[in-house]
Amino acid sequence: MASREFTDERGGVWRVWDVQPESLERRMASDPHLRPAMERRRAPQSRVKVSNPHMAQGWLAFECRSERRRLAPIPDRWEEMSADELRQLLARARPSGPVRRLIE
């Protein structure tokens, strides 16, 4: 998972990374804290449900201190884009809920 940081027009710092549903499945299956405690032979296959078909192949996740956004599909070579190009992607991204912080 690649990650980048950039600053928006107002000086806010954003972090952007790519999300692949199949890598989330692997992570859930390998991390005992993310899967329910069940006997292995009875445990159903871990599947990440992606309700939006446009998101099924992955998305870019954008996050700043107070906001999260998503953009799908993942643009080619986004890791190499300039800050201006990342700001353009951010403008196209859709809000995805408030940022959840465990510790403030």
Side-chain angles (χ1 to χ4, degrees):
M1 174 175 76
S3 174
R4 301 260 318 266
E5 283 193 1
F6 67 98
T7 306
D8 67 17
E9 303 84 21
R10 293 185 226 143
V13 177
W14 287 82
R15 188 172 144 241
V16 58
W17 66 95
D18 58 326
V19 177
Q20 302 288 338
E22 60 274 358
S23 65
L24 287 175
E25 287 179 15
R26 283 192 300 274
R27 189 171 139 220
M28 286 175 62
S30 66
D31 188 335
H33 296 98
L34 297 176
R35 67 175 184 255
M38 308 178 106
E39 191 174 326
R40 196 171 182 88
R41 6 172 231 258
R42 290 190 214 151
Q45 191 100 3
S46 293
R47 287 283 174 225
V48 175
K49 294 191 190 311
V50 179
S51 58
N52 183 335
H54 299 290
M55 299 282 195
Q57 300 303 313
W59 60 89
L60 284 184
F62 292 86
E63 183 178 89
C64 71
R65 187 163 178 78
S66 61
E67 187 180 352
R68 294 185 320 175
R69 299 184 193 180
R70 293 179 181 167
L71 177 71
I74 300 172
D76 291 333
R77 304 172 63 93
W78 72 269
E79 303 98 331
E80 302 166 15
M81 291 183 175
S82 68
D84 283 337
E85 291 170 312
L86 291 175
R87 284 190 281 273
Q88 290 172 13
L89 295 179
L90 174 65
R92 293 179 21 218
R94 296 186 177 223
S96 66
V99 175
R100 291 183 223 138
R101 301 278 184 222
L102 295 175
I103 300 173
E104 285 292 326

